[in-house]
Amino acid sequence: MQTNTQSLIDHPFLSEAPKGHLISGRMMPGQDNQVFDTVNPATGKTIARLARGNAEDINSAVNAARVAFEGPWRNWTPYQRQALLYRVHDLIDKHFDELALLETLDMGAPLSRTKAFRGFILQTILHYATQTSNTAGETLPNSLSGSMTTLNLRSPAGVIGGIIPWNGPLISQWWILGGVLATGCTVVLKPAEDASLSVLRVAELLLEAGLPEGVVNVVTGYGHEAGEALARHPDVDRIAFTGSTATGRKVIEASTSNIKRLQLELGGKSPDIVFADADLDAAVPGAAMAVFSNSGQVCYAGSRLFVERKIHDEFVERIVAFGRNLKVGNGLESDVQLGPLVSQKQLSRVLGYIEAARDEGAVLSSGGEQLGGVLANGYFVAPTIFSSVHNEMKIAREEIFGPVLSIIPFDDADQALRLANATEYGLGGAVWTRSLSTAMKMVHGIRSGTLWVNCYGVIDPAVGFGGTRASGYGVKGGPHHVDAFLDRKSVYINGLG
Ligand code: NAD
């Protein structure tokens, strides 16, 4: 720990000198030399200064990505791309502690959490390495004249615009980079203004692994400037966007400039349903961490907890005790389980929801305040539990993206289903029960892209993850994700041969 922290002090990203965009394989300053500060949310201190990208920077990056797409990269075989991904896997593995530390300093998640994603990210890279041959087309039977041959061809879609949030950029970027590198596309990535460091560093490592310059470009900056320009750019073929539903709507509007195809991974308000027959020793910590992990800054956070009325009071008591024992603090400390919120803005937003819940008559069972003392300069909120919540209250309807749990009692499975589905979102959800028939009723009945039974937040890159309704569309990972990076063409060949 001591050694790692010491080496970070000397990390070139953590200095007064502003970092540039990574375009065509080179770090370069923004066209108008504007910069913005990156703040460590655990201390409120500036740790880096980054280029504030504008439409011209985006244009340069898109041009670089287009040139790379038309260049030798286009002729790399699936095996060459696969070998590259294996080299990338080894380099990311070698540098993972450094990447995890950058991410912790950048967005606040405890080091124990950022480091724990090593296995998942390496598996994700391996998954996409297995997908490089999944880009082939097919020969199809047809009902046409005997001399007609029909094919479905698939080819890389071109320049991808990747826009990602701050709550886990090490993960979010790989859902895009994996597809880009597996298929032979190129990309301009726009990380969130609150957490760009790991994205820039990974782009450098990709070059070290032998990726041709211009295949992966990174433009840092604000969403309404660089992000908007990327979503609108007429030479970007597709957008892979992960972020809030509100921004997703703006991205849809901007993408109409040239009818880009979109992948949209948006917000959520996921239901977590505990039946009286559940194993409560598993359900209590499971439901608590479903909402408190990453201090609630998780898209599929189980922020609406439906508890069968028979066990409601006992469950509230147990989950409150669990929440009170969680150690909140600076993520560099080894025993810390929950870090700060990412920014002052996010802190104000979460405290606003807590106040609204009190005003609407929800019962505050635990937490509910910003943490002071040694944590006063950071953006820390105590794990917060409201009970006696109604589904119509603001805290039960809107995505908070903070460590705030709403507990809502229910009487039977039909009512649980009705309440769970009374939301515009459809991202995740879980059910805790020992009954197979109850579990399957929920599996079939809950309108969400992902559903867990007696567990929460398990994701395998080979299986995939995605949402439905206002949580977006498209599945990241799984056997079909590469389709999102490929064009298809029907070919009819008559009388040759
Ligand atoms: P956000 O929507 O504010 O920002 C996401 C990204 O979009 C950032 O890079 C931002 O700079 C950019 N952006 C902002 N305005 C833009 C515009 N007008 N045009 C183009 N880009 C723009 O989201 P956030 O606060 O960074 O992240 C939290 C949200 O992300 C939550 O809603 C969470 O549920 C969602 N999320 C979803 C998933 C998923 O897989 N479904 C995963 C992680 C996070």
Side-chain angles (χ1 to χ4, degrees):
M1 184 60 232
Q2 200 58 39
T3 332
N4 283 340
T5 310
Q6 185 55 47
S7 67
L8 251 197
I9 293 166
D10 305 327
H11 197 288
F13 280 17
L14 303 174
S15 65
E16 277 291 302
K19 300 295 137 332
H21 309 299
L22 203 140
I23 299 176
S24 243
R26 283 179 300 283
M27 277 277 187
M28 48 179 70
Q31 311 236 358
D32 58 9
N33 283 313
Q34 296 270 350
V35 295
F36 67 101
D37 287 346
T38 285
V39 169
N40 177 349
T43 61
K45 291 204 172 113
T46 297
I47 52 167
R49 302 173 76 212
L50 301 178
R52 177 172 168 173
N54 60 19
E56 284 176 61
D57 299 311
I58 288 292
N59 197 39
S60 304
V62 172
N63 289 343
R66 178 61 59 191
V67 168
F69 182 67
E70 305 293 352
W73 172 241
R74 190 75 190 261
N75 298 320
W76 279 40
T77 64
Y79 294 122
Q80 285 175 298
R81 296 197 301 272
Q82 189 173 44
L84 171 86
L85 278 158
Y86 288 133
R87 291 198 298 279
V88 169
H89 168 278
D90 291 350
L91 258 186
I92 297 289
D93 190 17
K94 185 171 151 200
H95 288 270
F96 202 83
D97 285 352
E98 173 199 346
L99 292 168
L101 265 161
L102 281 179
E103 188 118 312
T104 290
L105 292 169
D106 208 0
M107 50 72 69
L111 201 50
S112 55
R113 176 183 169 87
T114 51
K115 277 189 172 180
F117 277 104
R118 176 194 293 265
F120 180 79
I121 286 161
L122 294 177
Q123 277 171 23
T124 303
I125 297 169
L126 290 180
H127 167 70
Y128 286 101
T130 69
Q131 296 296 301
T132 57
S133 307
N134 195 8
T135 51
E138 53 200 347
T139 308
L140 295 169
N142 64 65
S143 52
L144 304 166
S145 78
S147 62
M148 189 79 92
T149 302
T150 46
L151 312 171
N152 265 345
L153 292 187
R154 302 207 292 171
S155 55
V159 176
I160 309 293
I163 304 176
I164 59 171
W166 44 261
N167 65 321
L170 267 175
I171 301 169
S172 300
Q173 64 184 297
W174 273 107
W175 290 125
I176 298 173
L177 290 174
V180 164
L181 300 185
T183 55
C185 288
T186 60
V187 68
V188 176
L189 266 179
K190 209 299 281 173
E193 48 273 38
D194 285 317
S196 308
L197 298 181
S198 70
V199 182
L200 279 170
R201 184 65 185 124
V202 165
E204 285 186 339
L205 292 174
L206 290 174
L207 292 167
E208 201 178 319
L211 187 72
E213 59 188 40
V215 172
V216 172
N217 308 276
V218 180
V219 175
T220 52
Y222 291 102
H224 65 282
E225 296 172 347
E228 209 273 343
L230 183 57
R232 195 170 293 283
H233 199 290
D235 202 28
V236 170
D237 297 294
R238 298 207 177 165
I239 292 287
F241 173 78
T242 305
S244 63
T245 299
T247 308
R249 290 197 168 97
K250 291 184 190 163
V251 168
I252 293 171
E253 280 167 26
S255 73
T256 58
S257 61
N258 61 334
I259 320 289
K260 294 177 186 73
R261 195 169 128 186
L262 305 175
Q263 295 175 66
L264 295 174
E265 304 290 344
L266 308 178
K269 192 75 191 174
S270 299
D272 196 4
I273 305 173
V274 183
F275 284 88
D277 69 345
D279 172 359
L280 297 193
D281 290 343
V284 168
M289 293 319 287
V291 68
F292 293 141
S293 294
N294 212 21
S295 297
Q297 303 168 117
V298 174
C299 53
Y300 52 76
S303 51
R304 292 184 300 147
L305 181 62
F306 300 98
V307 179
E308 194 167 351
R309 203 176 297 276
K310 281 183 244 177
I311 56 160
H312 176 268
D313 293 352
E314 177 196 350
F315 202 89
V316 170
E317 201 175 301
R318 287 181 66 173
I319 200 166
V320 162
F322 186 94
R324 287 203 175 121
N325 276 330
L326 290 169
K327 171 99 195 272
V328 184
N330 187 325
L332 291 179
E333 287 166 26
S334 57
D335 56 344
V336 159
Q337 292 161 289
L338 305 183
L341 298 173
V342 75
S343 61
Q344 177 63 53
K345 185 172 150 209
Q346 191 64 11
L347 174 69
S348 307
R349 180 185 147 90
V350 170
L351 292 176
Y353 274 106
I354 291 173
E355 205 176 310
R358 284 180 157 139
D359 291 347
E360 283 187 288
V363 174
L364 180 65
S365 299
S366 178
E369 77 277 329
Q370 182 181 359
L371 296 173
V374 290
L375 301 181
N377 291 330
Y379 314 129
F380 295 90
V381 169
T384 297
I385 298 176
F386 282 101
S387 52
S388 301
V389 175
H390 295 291
N391 224 20
E392 303 73 35
M393 289 178 180
K394 196 173 164 181
I395 45 162
R397 280 186 290 110
E398 297 182 14
E399 184 180 45
I400 300 173
F401 229 54
V404 182
L405 178 63
S406 299
I407 304 185
I408 304 168
F410 70 88
D411 293 303
D412 58 38
D414 287 326
Q415 189 193 17
L417 260 187
R418 264 198 317 279
L419 292 169
N421 285 335
T423 170
E424 64 170 327
Y425 294 109
L427 195 55
V431 52
W432 301 82
T433 177
R434 286 192 170 94
S435 155
L436 180 60
S437 62
T438 304
M440 292 316 290
K441 186 177 170 91
M442 298 295 129
V443 165
H444 290 298
I446 291 176
R447 297 179 69 189
S448 70
T450 308
L451 210 275
W452 294 284
V453 178
N454 295 330
C455 58
Y456 205 98
V458 179
I459 297 176
D460 186 322
V463 179
F465 174 79
T468 181
R469 305 164 79 201
S471 296
Y473 44 77
V475 173
K476 303 183 281 198
H480 307 297
H481 189 202
V482 286
D483 290 346
F485 299 86
L486 295 170
D487 276 341
R488 61 164 292 290
K489 184 186 288 170
S490 308
V491 180
Y492 297 81
I493 302 173
N494 188 26
L496 288 181

